[in-house]
């Protein structure tokens, strides 16, 4: 990952806090689109944030585990540091002083229909109108009433705020219900005066230890392809392009602005979200029915979530059902970057270590040939799979039939006996005549064909 000009390697991390933690509960579970969340809602701790198995290769939306929409206020503008979010967490937020300066019109939570910020004396009336217009635009992005939607706005009138100063930070840890999940963030952002300095928004997971970036490129609402122009501004919904494999139970988030100039850098943000962007694992046998001793290819598909952030170092071990083993010609391989597949001939498991999905990569696969010597139905279910950083798949079933029980086919045939490949699964006298099979009771060969009886 890139922080300024420094490259940082990110793997599984755990953040700790010295502050007193809130009671651990699992947060909002229902999968939702990136464009706007209603509020910071919570659900009982017994519910974990997971995706249902989906269609392999088709990304699902990441799961929102925390959301702040700044709507727990009225028509009077308030500063970010004075705002308290919804129960039961009642989250509070802060920022560095330059981004909490009402005179510079920074850190103001306002709406277009609400009152002006009385302390915002340095900005012209048109400047205040710009801030309100951005709140309106973010209401359109988030699917709420544009007139009453609240957003955190910044005008940075004439004072340099400084590079990489904190513009938003949670003051207390946010509980995460389940470890070994990929965590990133989402935000709705708007900007005006894009012909001048652009805001450069960078999100980190924070705690007592080093801050962990969830991006390789800062969000720039002026130029990001997810931005939409409107009313002399740019606005859109964004997510981090890199996710952290998180092993802890609570975390904080921090947003810094990499733009230090005051001339321009006029923007607003809304709908801060912590996203569980854990990929989905699916599996299938092909063919799903084989003869005793035959071979089927087992394919495990790892599908990214729809924000398509990079995911590094996921792994799994799939213990095959009793009676199924890795074929002598395992032909094991993976398209998951940097991953190592373990599938020994005759072995009872297929494993992947250190798999990666690059940013914007939709999915990757792990494949290996398997076999079974005895007829039966073999269910490869999630109980036999251990994963790190992946959602468990639905069961996959391999059917093994006794030799001689399969029904022959003639591919592309317009009739029952057309073509040249016919398997007769009976041990009785049969007449084979050219392209025609005559079973007992139909003993006369087709005219003009040499006939061999068996």
């Amino acid at each position: 990952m890139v922080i300024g000009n420094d490259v940082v390697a990110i793997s599984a991390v755990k953040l700790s806090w010295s502050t007193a933690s809130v009671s651990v509960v699992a947060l909002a579970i229902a999968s939702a689109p990136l464009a706007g969340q209603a509020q910071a809602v919570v659900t009982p701790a017994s519910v974990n944030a997971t995706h249902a198995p989906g269609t392999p290769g088709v990304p699902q939306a990441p799961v929102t585990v925390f959301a702040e929409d700044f709507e727990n206020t009225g028509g009077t503008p308030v500063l970010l540091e004075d705002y308290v979010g919804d129960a039961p967490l009642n989250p509070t937020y802060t920022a560095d002083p330059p981004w909490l300066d009402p005179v510079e019109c920074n850190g103001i939570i306002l709406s277009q229909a609400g009152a002006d910020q009385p302390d915002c004396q340095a900005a012209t009336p048109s400047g205040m109108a710009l801030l309100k217009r951005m709140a309106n635009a973010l209401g359109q992005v988030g699917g709420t009433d544009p007139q009453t939607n609240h957003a955190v706005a910044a005008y940075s009138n004439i004072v340099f705020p400084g590079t990489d100063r904190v513009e938003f930070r949670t003051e207390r840890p946010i509980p995460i219900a389940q470890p070994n999940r990929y965590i990133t963030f989402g935000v709705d952002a708007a900007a005006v005066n894009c012909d001048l300095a652009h805001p450069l928004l960078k999100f980190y997971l924070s705690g007592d230890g080093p801050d962990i970036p969830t991006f390789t490129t800062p969000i720039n609402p002026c130029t990001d392809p997810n931005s939409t122009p409107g009313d002399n501004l740019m606005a859109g919904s964004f997510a981090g392009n890199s996710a952290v494999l998180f092993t802890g139970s609570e975390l904080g988030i921090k947003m810094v602005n990499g733009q230090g100039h005051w001339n321009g850098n006029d923007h607003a943000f809304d709908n801060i979200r912590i996203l569980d962007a854990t990929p989905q694992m699916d599996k299938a046998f092909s063919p799903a029915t084989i003869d005793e001793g035959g071979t089927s290819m087992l394919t495990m598909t790892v599908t990214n979530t729809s924000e398509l952030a990079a995911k590094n170092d996921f792994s799994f071990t799939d213990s095959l059902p009793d009676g199924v083993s890795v074929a002598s010609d395992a032909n094991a391989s993976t398209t998951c970057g940097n991953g190592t597949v373990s599938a020994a001939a005759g072995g009872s498991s297929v494993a992947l270590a250190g798999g990666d999905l690059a940013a914007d990569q939709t999915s990757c696969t792990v494949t290996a040939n398997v076999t079974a010597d005895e007829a039966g139905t073999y269910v490869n279910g999630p109980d036999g799979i251990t994963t790190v950083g992946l959602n468990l798949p639905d069961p996959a079933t391999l059917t093994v039939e006794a030799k001689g029980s399969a029904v022959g086919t003639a591919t592309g045939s317009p009739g029952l006996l057309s073509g040249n490949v016919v398997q007769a699964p009976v041990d009785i006298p049969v007449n084979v005549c050219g392209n025609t099979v005559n079973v007992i009771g139909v003993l006369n060969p087709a005219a003009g064909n040499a006939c061999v009886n068996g």
Side-chain angles (χ1 to χ4, degrees), residues 266-367:
D266 305 323
H267 60 286
F269 59 89
D270 194 5
N271 292 322
I272 297 279
R273 303 179 295 280
I274 298 176
L275 303 175
D276 182 339
T278 302
Q280 176 63 48
M281 180 181 176
D282 289 281
K283 64 191 307 181
F285 293 100
S286 181
T289 300
I290 59 174
D291 283 338
E292 292 171 326
T295 298
S296 178
M297 177 179 286
L298 175 60
T299 299
M300 279 75 74
T301 303
V302 176
T303 303
N304 209 347
T305 43
S306 59
E307 91 295 341
L308 298 182
K311 316 286 165 63
N312 295 330
D313 293 330
F314 51 81
S315 62
F316 67 82
T317 299
D318 183 7
S319 298
L320 300 173
D322 291 342
V324 178
S325 61
V326 178
S328 58
D329 180 17
N331 197 26
S333 65
T334 184
T335 61
C336 301
N338 298 315
T340 301
V341 181
S342 299
S348 60
S349 65
V350 177
L352 174 74
D356 298 343
L357 282 165
D360 297 323
Q361 184 177 358
T362 298
S363 63
C364 65
T365 59
V366 175
T367 57

Side-chain angles (χ1 to χ4, degrees), residues 202-291:
K202 308 174 183 180
F203 273 80
Y204 299 82
L205 305 185
S206 63
D208 283 344
D211 294 331
I212 310 298
T214 61
F215 67 95
T216 58
T217 303
I219 290 171
N220 182 345
C222 287
T223 61
D224 194 286
N226 288 320
S227 289
T228 300
D231 197 15
N232 297 316
L233 55 77
M234 300 292 289
S237 190
F238 311 96
N241 68 347
S242 187
V244 176
L245 182 55
F246 186 71
T247 61
S249 61
E250 55 186 27
L251 56 80
I253 50 174
K254 180 178 80 173
M255 183 184 79
V256 305
N257 190 340
Q259 178 61 258
H261 209 283
W262 64 269
N263 191 17
N265 203 8
D266 305 323
H267 60 286
F269 59 89
D270 194 5
N271 292 322
I272 297 279
R273 303 179 295 280
I274 298 176
L275 303 175
D276 182 339
T278 302
Q280 176 63 48
M281 180 181 176
D282 289 281
K283 64 191 307 181
F285 293 100
S286 181
T289 300
I290 59 174
D291 283 338

Side-chain angles (χ1 to χ4, degrees), residues 98-279:
W99 292 115
L100 291 174
D101 187 347
V103 176
E104 285 292 300
C105 308
N106 289 341
I108 304 168
I109 300 176
L110 47 65
S111 67
Q112 185 160 55
D116 291 348
Q117 166 56 255
D119 298 324
C120 187
Q121 299 172 1
T124 63
S126 62
M128 178 59 67
L130 286 177
L131 300 188
K132 290 188 168 187
R133 200 162 75 216
M134 288 189 289
N136 180 297
L138 291 175
Q140 298 177 54
V141 169
T144 60
D145 183 351
Q147 290 292 319
T148 60
N149 179 68
H150 289 80
V152 183
Y155 192 75
S156 54
N157 188 49
I158 58 174
V159 175
F160 286 85
T163 303
D164 286 342
R165 302 299 297 272
V166 176
E167 195 169 351
F168 171 90
R169 184 176 67 227
T170 52
E171 289 195 302
R172 293 194 297 270
I174 306 298
I176 300 296
Q178 199 174 6
N180 294 319
R181 313 294 295 173
Y182 281 96
I183 302 297
T184 189
F185 73 93
V187 65
D188 298 346
V192 295
N193 293 325
C194 284
D195 56 328
L196 302 172
H198 298 175
L200 302 172
L201 307 180
K202 308 174 183 180
F203 273 80
Y204 299 82
L205 305 185
S206 63
D208 283 344
D211 294 331
I212 310 298
T214 61
F215 67 95
T216 58
T217 303
I219 290 171
N220 182 345
C222 287
T223 61
D224 194 286
N226 288 320
S227 289
T228 300
D231 197 15
N232 297 316
L233 55 77
M234 300 292 289
S237 190
F238 311 96
N241 68 347
S242 187
V244 176
L245 182 55
F246 186 71
T247 61
S249 61
E250 55 186 27
L251 56 80
I253 50 174
K254 180 178 80 173
M255 183 184 79
V256 305
N257 190 340
Q259 178 61 258
H261 209 283
W262 64 269
N263 191 17
N265 203 8
D266 305 323
H267 60 286
F269 59 89
D270 194 5
N271 292 322
I272 297 279
R273 303 179 295 280
I274 298 176
L275 303 175
D276 182 339
T278 302

